[in-house]
Amino acid sequence: MASKYAAEPATLEAAVFEPIRAGGIPDQGEGVRAIVELAQDAMTVGVIQVPTEGLGAGLPAGVPLLLDRRKGAAPISSLKDLIDKHRQEPARRLGTASTTTLQSFIDLVDRHKDDGSVVFAKTAWPEPALTAVIDYHDLDGTPRWGNHRIRYAFPVTDEFKVWIEKNGKAMEQAEFAAFLEEHAAELSAPFGPEVTEYEALFKEKFATPNDLIALSRSLEVFVGARVKRQERLSSGERTVEFVEEHTNTKGEKVEIPGLFMVSVPAFVDGDAVRIPARLRYRIQGGSIMWFYQLYRWQFWLRDQVKNDLDTVKQKTALPTFEGSPEA
């Protein structure tokens, strides 16, 4: 018959006390029991609370830690990751929402804002944008996470991109004539104050959209012709004279305006930005190259972003800043 002790005891306590009860070992009373309890404690896993008083602001009263006394185990570890895995809803709001229109940005900020929310603006080219930090630091100095944000990256129109891309770049006569025809809808007649300010500044005459379309068609006629001469009139206007190379006929003069006004929406669903442009050309060996120079276009673009920032400030009643929030 097998011995009653042949099987391994279920617990350390059984291993120690069963022989005592069987009469094999004298009972040493509480001393032996204390040893057993210490041995059992050395093999257990438990949760302890570490008080945080005096360790700084923003901490709970106690931090739970896992105390693992088993051999070979990490003695102390955080329970945060384990607890977070079992959350049924987030501990706090975080992440960045992206909006595609200014009104959507305003509406979403209104939905989530609190007393500490602010709006930052990147007003310079490239990639102007608005960023609302919903959980920004409180006015009383209490820091907050700053992880819940709403962003509006101003969507630049294709038309505005083309004007910026071609700015200052020389074009052959046929290319320039086609460019003016293609972008006729983005040309504007100057307002009275614009005429007064910019004609005095540049000593040039403004062209109307009709003047520029007429110019483009005149240039199309003289594609391949040679420039005979150029002159500036006392009025400030300029002319170039074209002559066909294979004939001796008298060339025809074409009047060249010095200024024109571009009126194009810089941002999708946004107002048009008005930018003065100087019309330029270079003559080299009888051929002519054309280009334009947008006057202070970055200033006008930044002005548009600032206007939209003012709109956000009025409609959300939040403080606004030009710059970037903390990373």
Side-chain angles (χ1 to χ4, degrees):
M1 178 181 293
S3 169
K4 63 180 291 189
Y5 301 110
E8 183 178 350
T11 65
L12 181 61
E13 183 178 9
V16 174
F17 285 101
E18 282 186 10
I20 295 175
R21 297 189 185 100
I25 301 176
D27 189 350
Q28 300 298 315
E30 293 300 322
V32 174
R33 190 175 300 277
I35 293 173
V36 172
E37 290 176 353
L38 289 173
Q40 287 183 325
D41 286 344
M43 298 174 63
T44 59
V45 177
V47 176
I48 61 173
Q49 287 285 335
V50 177
T52 61
E53 184 179 357
L55 297 181
L59 291 171
V63 176
L65 296 177
L66 183 68
L67 182 61
D68 193 344
R69 300 182 178 90
R70 294 173 299 181
K71 184 178 181 180
I76 297 178
S77 58
S78 173
L79 289 176
K80 182 180 184 305
D81 292 340
L82 179 62
I83 293 172
D84 285 343
K85 289 180 182 179
H86 296 278
R87 288 191 183 277
Q88 296 183 4
E89 55 186 46
R92 57 187 173 88
R93 296 179 295 178
L94 72 155
T96 301
S98 296
T99 57
T100 56
T101 66
L102 183 66
Q103 188 59 51
S104 292
F105 176 81
I106 292 171
D107 292 342
L108 196 56
V109 170
D110 270 337
R111 177 186 176 94
H112 293 291
K113 70 181 181 181
D114 59 30
D115 292 340
S117 301
V118 299
V119 177
F120 288 90
K122 181 180 182 295
T123 58
W125 183 269
E127 299 178 351
L130 303 179
T131 301
V133 184
I134 302 302
D135 54 341
Y136 198 64
H137 311 309
D138 285 332
L139 289 174
D140 62 3
T142 302
R144 296 203 292 174
W145 293 98
N147 291 147
H148 185 204
R149 304 184 179 199
I150 301 168
R151 191 170 189 271
Y152 172 59
F154 287 88
V156 182
T157 63
D158 292 337
E159 294 81 5
F160 189 80
K161 289 178 182 177
V162 171
W163 281 101
I164 300 304
E165 179 185 353
K166 293 287 187 179
N167 184 39
K169 292 186 178 179
M171 290 177 270
E172 294 183 352
Q173 189 156 301
E175 180 186 3
F176 182 67
F179 179 84
L180 290 180
E181 289 269 4
E182 183 178 354
H183 295 277
E186 294 139 30
L187 303 174
S188 175
F191 298 146
E194 294 171 338
V195 172
T196 302
E197 178 179 357
Y198 296 116
E199 286 190 351
L201 177 64
F202 295 113
K203 306 298 188 291
E204 301 276 9
K205 292 295 183 181
F206 254 116
T208 66
N210 288 338
D211 293 335
L212 288 175
I213 296 303
L215 172 64
S216 70
R217 292 172 180 169
S218 296
L219 296 180
E220 288 175 351
V221 171
F222 292 107
V223 169
R226 182 173 60 86
V227 178
K228 182 179 179 180
R229 66 175 181 173
Q230 60 175 331
E231 61 182 344
R232 179 182 288 271
L233 306 179
S234 59
S235 62
E237 297 174 326
R238 294 170 295 166
T239 64
V240 293
E241 185 175 337
F242 292 92
V243 60
E244 295 291 344
E245 294 183 346
H246 61 277
T247 67
N248 293 323
T249 59
K250 184 179 180 180
E252 296 187 34
K253 291 184 179 181
V254 176
E255 293 185 359
I256 310 299
L259 292 171
F260 63 96
M261 182 64 69
V262 177
S263 179
V264 57
F267 309 121
V268 176
D269 296 330
D271 296 332
V273 178
R274 297 178 63 82
I275 308 175
R278 304 177 69 183
L279 182 56
R280 291 287 182 261
Y281 60 86
R282 294 194 185 100
I283 298 176
Q284 297 176 341
S287 62
I288 187 167
M289 300 293 289
W290 299 86
F291 63 98
Y292 61 85
Q293 295 173 320
L294 298 176
Y295 177 64
R296 298 180 66 190
W297 67 268
Q298 291 180 320
F299 170 82
W300 302 114
L301 182 72
R302 180 174 180 270
D303 194 55
Q304 181 64 44
V305 175
K306 290 182 67 176
N307 288 340
D308 288 342
L309 183 61
D310 288 340
T311 300
V312 170
K313 183 175 184 178
Q314 293 171 7
K315 292 189 175 182
T316 65
L318 291 180
T320 58
F321 306 93
E322 289 189 53
S324 300
E326 297 91 328

